[in-house]
Amino acid sequence: MSSVSVAPTEASSPSTLAVRHEEAFWPSVIALGVGGFAIGTGEFVIMGLLPEVARDLNVTIPQAGHVISAYALGVVLGAPLLAVLAAHWPRRTLLIALMALFSIGNLASALSPSYVAMNVLRFVAGLPHGTYFGVAALVAASLAPPSRRASAVGLVMLGLTSATLVGVPIAAWLGQHLGWRAAFVMVGVIAALTCVLVRRCVPDLPAPQGASPRRELGALVRPQVWLTLGIGAIGFGGMFSVFSYIKPILTEVTGMSVDSVPLVLSLFGMGMVAGNLVGSRLADKSLTGTIAGLLVWNALVLVGVAFTAPYVVGISANVFLLGTLVAIAPALQIRLMDVAGDAQTLAAALNHSAFNLANALGAWLGGAAIAAGWGWTSTGWVGLALALGGMGVFGLSVWQDRRQARRG
């Protein structure tokens, strides 16, 4: 199977290129989705293997948890750094390089000889995360009709959401039976496979004309870019304020057995897959309306935790609904691409930095509420506060849009 190339030539008409893009769409999103599956598995599997990692590296479980923070820090810093430095690279070449770095980072993590080395290698593995998804979203959107851009982005992100349902349990099983290092070998191999699939299936699209690090940095002077990032960093933090502590909520408040927790958590993965598909379809119909509606949905689901936590059926349904909150991700990705002008690579990559900041903010505020003695279910009220904060940022964004339109 030969690689796909649709770079414009003198003999290529716009209609010919459109047909070639349509033919390349499904092979491309599948290849890009496999990369998302690898990244999602690598990001989340460590959370279920912390005891094994701690025992092998001779540290405490809280210390082992620092490797999660190291990965998140790599995502936050790597997204803008790599997006700016590689702005002029052809899209396919950049995607392969990013996934190769991710593969190397995970395979090296499997060979980590010490706690310090493990933290460094998880940081390295996190570096390409945001830029990969940002560039993959740009490629998928460019191959789709204008009316289906969000659906195209959602299909790429389906790899990430399905990883929580399929990839993480398989990797965790490998980690428990063959040692935690086997889980990272699995992730590294899938990432290497992605490099091959991207080379064969994704069109050889050039970087935008005139792309440069300086032009990409221009995204940072656009207020709408910062406001859209703020919607994700604040409004999406509520999900993490609850989910970070979902296990003690289920065991201490609901009274479920530890053995029942994985079954309930699988509902979260199902919710993520459903939310991603539905949210992307809604965003194709009305981008602004979808973001507004999902922020309201966010608030309702999160405050519901405080009332459903004592009941097995109620909290189980609520965990599924928590997963659906990821529906806002494709919409915010498209909005960032729209408001970034000619600096789309950096803006698209920063979306995942914002979500990792949401992770840190939500987990920290939820933990602070618990430490203050407000109880496990207080995380739902923290989530509501963050959702309302996201609404406030969104309202400011819409107000500025309308103000600029009146001036125009």
Side-chain angles (χ1 to χ4, degrees):
M1 181 177 180
S2 59
S3 61
V4 179
S5 177
V6 295
T9 66
E10 292 182 2
S12 298
S13 66
S15 60
T16 301
L17 289 174
V19 171
R20 289 180 179 176
H21 281 192
E22 184 177 350
E23 292 174 347
F25 177 76
W26 282 108
S28 296
V29 296
I30 291 172
L32 297 172
V34 172
F37 183 85
I39 290 178
T41 303
E43 180 179 15
F44 293 114
V45 70
I46 185 65
M47 299 175 186
L49 296 174
L50 284 182
E52 290 83 357
V53 173
R55 184 165 54 250
D56 189 35
L57 299 180
N58 197 28
V59 294
T60 65
I61 292 179
Q63 286 176 317
H66 293 163
V67 303
I68 300 175
S69 302
Y71 182 92
L73 182 61
V75 177
V76 172
L77 296 180
L81 180 64
L82 297 180
V84 168
L85 292 178
H88 59 289
W89 287 29
R91 300 301 196 193
R92 187 172 68 185
T93 301
L94 178 54
L95 287 166
I96 293 172
L98 292 168
M99 195 47 59
L101 177 59
F102 183 75
S103 177
I104 292 169
N106 280 278
L107 292 174
S109 296
L111 301 174
S112 179
S114 67
Y115 169 70
V116 173
M118 183 65 173
N119 276 279
V120 172
L121 292 170
R122 294 317 294 158
F123 173 82
V124 171
L127 289 173
H129 178 131
T131 309
Y132 175 84
F133 276 114
V135 176
L138 290 170
V139 169
S142 71
L143 297 176
S147 61
R148 294 192 59 203
R149 292 187 305 150
S151 292
V153 172
L155 287 171
V156 172
M157 295 198 64
L158 185 61
L160 175 64
T161 55
S162 63
T164 63
L165 191 60
V166 179
V168 171
I170 293 175
W173 183 87
L174 284 175
Q176 290 170 358
H177 290 81
L178 301 178
W180 64 267
R181 298 175 188 272
F184 289 110
V185 171
M186 170 186 158
V187 173
V189 169
I190 297 174
L193 173 63
T194 302
C195 294
V196 177
L197 292 175
V198 170
R199 177 66 180 83
R200 288 179 172 271
C201 301
V202 176
D204 190 12
L205 301 174
Q209 187 174 3
S212 67
R214 182 177 181 180
R215 192 170 82 175
E216 289 298 326
L217 288 171
L220 301 181
V221 301
R222 298 174 182 266
Q224 283 292 355
V225 169
W226 287 106
L227 289 171
T228 305
L229 291 172
I231 296 170
I234 298 173
F236 200 62
M239 190 198 78
F240 293 105
S241 71
V242 172
F243 191 68
S244 298
Y245 306 97
I246 194 64
K247 185 174 182 179
I249 289 174
L250 294 174
T251 56
E252 300 295 329
V253 180
T254 313
M256 297 178 63
S257 66
V258 175
D259 293 337
S260 302
V261 171
L263 181 61
V264 176
L265 294 185
S266 69
L267 295 174
F268 179 79
M270 294 178 188
M272 289 186 73
V273 172
N276 179 64
L277 293 174
V278 173
S280 58
R281 290 292 183 90
L282 292 175
D284 278 332
K285 298 180 183 300
S286 173
L287 186 61
T288 302
T290 296
I291 294 173
L294 289 175
L295 286 171
V296 174
W297 175 245
N298 198 8
L300 293 174
V301 170
L302 290 166
V303 75
V305 172
F307 299 99
T308 61
Y311 311 102
V312 172
V313 174
I315 192 62
S316 297
N318 219 146
V319 169
F320 173 84
L321 297 179
L322 276 174
T324 67
L325 301 187
V326 78
I328 200 171
L332 291 179
Q333 187 79 68
I334 293 295
R335 179 164 175 79
L336 273 172
M337 291 157 56
D338 288 345
V339 301
D342 56 4
Q344 292 193 355
T345 304
L346 176 59
L350 283 172
N351 194 34
H352 293 270
S353 292
F355 285 138
N356 274 270
L357 288 174
N359 189 346
L361 179 64
W364 174 63
L365 291 177
I370 295 167
W374 295 346
W376 297 109
T377 58
S378 65
T379 56
W381 296 104
V382 171
L384 173 63
L386 288 169
L388 294 175
M391 290 181 196
V393 177
F394 175 68
L396 180 59
S397 175
V398 172
W399 173 80
Q400 189 187 64
D401 262 349
R402 292 177 177 174
R403 184 184 179 191
Q404 289 178 340
R406 287 196 297 268
R407 285 180 175 179

